[in-house]
Amino acid sequence: GGTTPGSAAWPAAKDAILVPIYLTQPTTVTRLYVVNGTSASGSMDIGLYTADGALITSSGSTAQSGTSAPQFFNIADITVPPGTYYLACSIDGTGGTVFRGNLSIIRLEELGCLKLTSAMPLPSSATFASVTSGLFPLMGLEVAPGTVY
């Protein structure tokens, strides 16, 4: 179970939350995004990891900007093959908020979510750890026009 998505503070400074995604075909990723909550503070880094923890791309440390709306991060377009990946987001403090689903830790583990500690900016190689918070950030990727899922 969970609650209606709403704004919440990042659970721990410099921790990254990773959400698995599965791409069914070669996909060109053009931008990444996270939905900011009701306050923006500090810097964030959003990126894409392979299933075995190699960083493919990230925004780099970027000021959190805008409230109650998606913040888009331009990246160099990159085409990735079908497979499992992790979207990752890290924030350098707990003053900034994001829109999130509030799920139990057990549910997040069932979904395959992971975390990284001391991950601001996102490291080139991930050392995965179990989630310790029920925060499920609303984030995603934008793909090249014409991609159909």
Side-chain angles (χ1 to χ4, degrees), residues 42-66:
S43 295
M44 54 189 354
D45 192 0
I46 184 168
L48 184 67
Y49 282 92
T50 61
D52 62 357
L55 183 64
I56 298 170
T57 188
S58 82
S59 65
S61 182
T62 305
Q64 188 179 23
S65 177

Side-chain angles (χ1 to χ4, degrees), residues 22-95:
Y22 183 75
L23 302 176
T24 59
Q25 62 189 24
T27 302
T28 300
V29 180
T30 60
R31 294 195 299 179
L32 304 172
Y33 68 89
V34 63
V35 182
N36 288 336
T38 56
S39 67
S41 174
S43 295
M44 54 189 354
D45 192 0
I46 184 168
L48 184 67
Y49 282 92
T50 61
D52 62 357
L55 183 64
I56 298 170
T57 188
S58 82
S59 65
S61 182
T62 305
Q64 188 179 23
S65 177
T67 57
S68 301
Q71 180 173 349
F72 289 91
F73 300 86
N74 291 318
I75 57 167
D77 293 2
I78 185 162
T79 300
V80 294
T84 300
Y85 298 90
Y86 288 98
L87 276 172
C89 183
S90 179
I91 299 180
D92 66 358
T94 58

Side-chain angles (χ1 to χ4, degrees), residues 82-119:
T84 300
Y85 298 90
Y86 288 98
L87 276 172
C89 183
S90 179
I91 299 180
D92 66 358
T94 58
T97 61
V98 296
F99 268 85
R100 54 77 176 126
N102 191 25
L103 305 175
S104 70
I105 291 172
I106 292 170
R107 175 65 67 200
L108 290 177
E109 289 172 342
E110 290 172 343
L111 293 171
C113 296
L114 298 166
K115 83 168 196 172
L116 305 175
T117 57
S118 299

